């Protein structure tokens, strides 16, 4: 049975509440004792499941040379996920554009759009999706240092997708096939003030990676909002934040499951990219390592606990930043627990919306 569209009713700056869309970012985490192939199969399963729950969009990330994350080519997995779903928006969260030709990226996402018209997103990022060695391996020309021409790449990509190069530009003669009416929705992704400024100047929707770096979340979202220039891509600022989310039936279960992402954060900081540890093993390792360093930022990377508590925290978070969308990122060892977390969050969101509707009717 398909639920209503999954939304949070956020308070905060928005008088009377605001409907905030719920979406998913999947990094195809590889559980310890499993395989990358199974992680990709888990992603397909999760996409089908969250579509039934009413989530708005499903994005796949791009990472390289990691035992921890299996998806190195989101565009390939999106082709399969699109065929397995029918309503949910699908897209990249994101394509690391400096590695690629803007023309080729436009062709790939035009192909996806032809297959799944009206529901394809192209999230683009500047980060390498790995370390310097992987970035070097992805480069075609290694004879000189790469140019930092990301802004030029963005402009070129948008012109290819929209067929609006100036008449005198040589690329105005090119067609990006397969061409059809409409265009993939382009989003700027990032975790810095630079990405907020770029999104504002190009007039693009913006998704901030709070789960990756929570320090500049408020500053980036507010700068984007205040500096936004309307464009053919967006008439007004469209703001989403990707945040870690973990729901469980009890606070005790949530606390145990959180041991895995907590340990991953510590491991990644030291260059350790092993698969997702089992929570009991992660808890023992964390205890051996001593106290977890305090996180920087106004909000934690992960909101976790019972679904009611998590929904309340997300609603306050979304309201404080006047968000249009919250993108939930969930990494735990057990795939069933990950699916259940999204189940519980959607259920809490649906219950909250019903309560608000009843109050409005009573008034």
């Amino acid at each position: 049975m398909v639920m209503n569209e999954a939304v949070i009713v956020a308070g905060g700056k928005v008088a009377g509440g605001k409907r905030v869309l719920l979406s998913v970012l999947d990094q195809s985490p590889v559980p310890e004792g499993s395989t990358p192939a199974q992680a990709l199969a888990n992603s397909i399963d999760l996409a089908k499941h969250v579509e039934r729950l009413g989530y708005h969009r499903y994005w796949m990330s791009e990472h390289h040379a990691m035992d921890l994350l299996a998806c190195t080519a989101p565009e390939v997995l999106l082709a399969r996920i699109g065929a397995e779903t029918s309503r949910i928006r699908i897209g990249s969260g994101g394509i690391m554009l400096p590695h690629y030709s803007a023309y080729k990226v436009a062709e790939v996402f035009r192909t996806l759009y032809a297959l799944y018209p009206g529901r394809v997103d192209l999230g683009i990022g500047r980060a390498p999706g790995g370390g310097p060695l992987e970035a070097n391996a992805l480069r075609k020309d290694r004879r000189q240092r790469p140019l930092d021409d990301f802004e030029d790449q963005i402009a070129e990509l948008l012109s290819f997708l929209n067929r609006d190069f100036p008449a005198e530009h040589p690329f105005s003669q090119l067609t990006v096939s397969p061409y059809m009416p409409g265009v993939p929705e382009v989003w700027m992704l990032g975790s810095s003030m630079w990405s907020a400024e770029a999104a504002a100047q190009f007039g693009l929707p913006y998704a901030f990676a709070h789960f990756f770096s929570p320090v500049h979340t408020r500053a980036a979202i507010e700068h984007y909002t205040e500096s936004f220039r309307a464009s053919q891509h967006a008439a007004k600022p469209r703001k989403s934040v990707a945040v870690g989310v973990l729901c469980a039936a009890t606070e005790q279960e949530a606390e145990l499951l959180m041991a895995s992402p907590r340990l991953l954060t510590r491991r990644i900081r030291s260059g350790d990219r092993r698969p997702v540890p089992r929570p009991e093993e992660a808890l023992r390792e964390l205890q051996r390592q001593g106290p977890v360093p305090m996180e920087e930022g106004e909000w934690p990377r992960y909101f976790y606990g019972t679904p009611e508590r998590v929904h309340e925290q997300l609603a306050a978070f979304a309201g404080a930043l006047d968000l249009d969308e919250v993108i939930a990122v969930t990494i735990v060892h057990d795939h069933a627990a990950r699916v259940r977390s999204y189940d519980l969050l959607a259920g809490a969101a649906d219950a909250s919306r019903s309560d608000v509707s009843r109050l409005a009717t009573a008034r």
Side-chain angles (χ1 to χ4, degrees):
M1 178 179 178
V2 177
M3 291 180 60
N4 293 327
E5 187 177 44
V7 296
I8 297 169
V9 179
K13 291 182 179 178
V14 187
K18 174 182 178 179
R19 294 173 74 257
V20 179
L21 295 169
L22 272 174
S23 294
V24 176
L25 172 64
D26 181 12
Q27 298 179 294
S28 288
V30 182
E32 184 181 4
S34 186
T35 65
Q38 184 59 53
L40 297 178
N42 290 345
S43 290
I44 296 166
D45 176 70
L46 182 62
K48 293 189 291 185
H49 191 78
V50 298
E51 178 177 62
R52 291 192 293 270
L53 293 172
Y55 283 82
H56 182 61
R57 70 180 88 238
Y58 193 89
W59 280 0
M60 297 298 310
S61 65
E62 174 187 336
H63 291 88
H64 301 283
M66 291 190 181
D67 294 330
L68 169 62
L69 305 175
C71 187
T72 58
E75 64 274 25
V76 175
L77 206 52
L78 291 173
R80 172 68 182 276
I81 287 172
E84 298 277 355
T85 56
S86 60
R87 177 202 59 80
I88 195 167
R89 295 193 66 89
I90 59 172
S92 57
I95 293 294
M96 301 299 104
L97 191 56
H99 297 318
Y100 311 114
S101 151
Y103 184 50
K104 183 59 180 176
V105 172
E107 286 185 324
V108 167
F109 277 79
R110 270 283 177 202
T111 300
L112 287 169
Y113 191 84
L115 291 169
Y116 314 113
R119 62 185 188 108
V120 173
D121 303 326
L122 169 52
I124 53 174
R126 188 186 189 193
L133 184 60
E134 297 92 284
N136 190 48
L138 284 161
R139 289 172 51 203
K140 182 177 181 294
D141 184 1
R142 304 186 190 111
R143 293 170 296 180
Q144 55 187 353
R145 294 188 62 178
L147 294 173
D148 185 3
D149 59 351
F150 187 55
E151 291 186 41
D152 292 338
Q153 281 190 293
I154 298 169
E156 193 172 282
L157 174 64
L158 294 173
S159 291
F160 277 130
L161 289 171
N162 293 289
R163 303 181 73 180
D164 61 0
F165 281 104
E168 65 275 11
H169 196 289
F171 290 163
S172 66
Q173 306 302 311
L174 287 175
T175 297
V176 179
S177 297
Y179 181 76
M180 61 178 291
V183 67
E185 194 169 272
V186 180
W187 285 71
M188 178 68 69
L189 315 182
S191 57
S192 68
M193 298 303 295
W194 188 96
S195 59
E197 174 67 13
Q201 296 308 307
F202 279 99
L204 294 174
Y206 182 46
F208 186 88
H210 176 85
F211 73 97
F212 178 75
S213 179
V215 177
H216 299 297
T217 305
R218 183 186 288 275
I221 291 296
E222 290 182 349
H223 179 79
Y224 166 72
T225 305
E226 293 162 3
S227 305
F228 181 82
R229 295 180 180 179
S231 72
Q232 63 178 310
H233 315 293
K236 60 181 182 179
R238 292 176 58 195
K239 301 166 286 187
S240 68
V241 172
V243 60
V245 172
L246 204 170
C247 295
T250 66
E251 294 290 343
Q252 294 78 9
E253 183 187 1
E255 190 71 43
L256 175 62
L257 292 174
M258 266 302 297
S260 298
R262 280 198 180 109
L263 181 57
L264 285 179
T265 299
R266 297 189 76 166
R267 283 180 174 178
I268 289 169
R269 285 172 178 164
S270 62
D272 184 344
R273 299 173 180 176
R274 281 179 286 166
V276 183
R278 293 176 175 83
E280 296 82 4
E281 296 172 7
L283 194 59
R284 287 192 290 270
E285 186 170 332
L286 286 168
Q287 289 169 345
R288 288 195 299 270
Q289 291 182 4
V292 176
M294 287 290 293
E295 285 190 332
E296 297 181 75
E298 191 173 348
W299 296 280
R301 295 171 190 265
Y302 256 84
F303 294 104
Y304 70 96
T306 61
E308 295 77 17
R309 178 190 175 194
V310 171
H311 178 270
E312 182 180 354
Q313 291 174 329
L314 288 176
F317 175 71
L321 296 174
D322 189 18
L323 299 179
D324 301 296
E325 189 170 346
V326 168
I327 305 174
V329 186
T330 302
I331 293 184
V332 290
H333 178 269
D334 182 50
H335 177 60
R338 186 162 71 128
V339 171
R340 182 62 176 157
S341 178
Y342 286 110
D343 268 338
L344 292 169
L345 179 60
D350 192 53
S352 173
R353 184 171 57 173
S354 297
D355 290 343
V356 171
S357 297
R358 282 195 294 272
L359 284 172
T361 302
R363 287 172 187 166

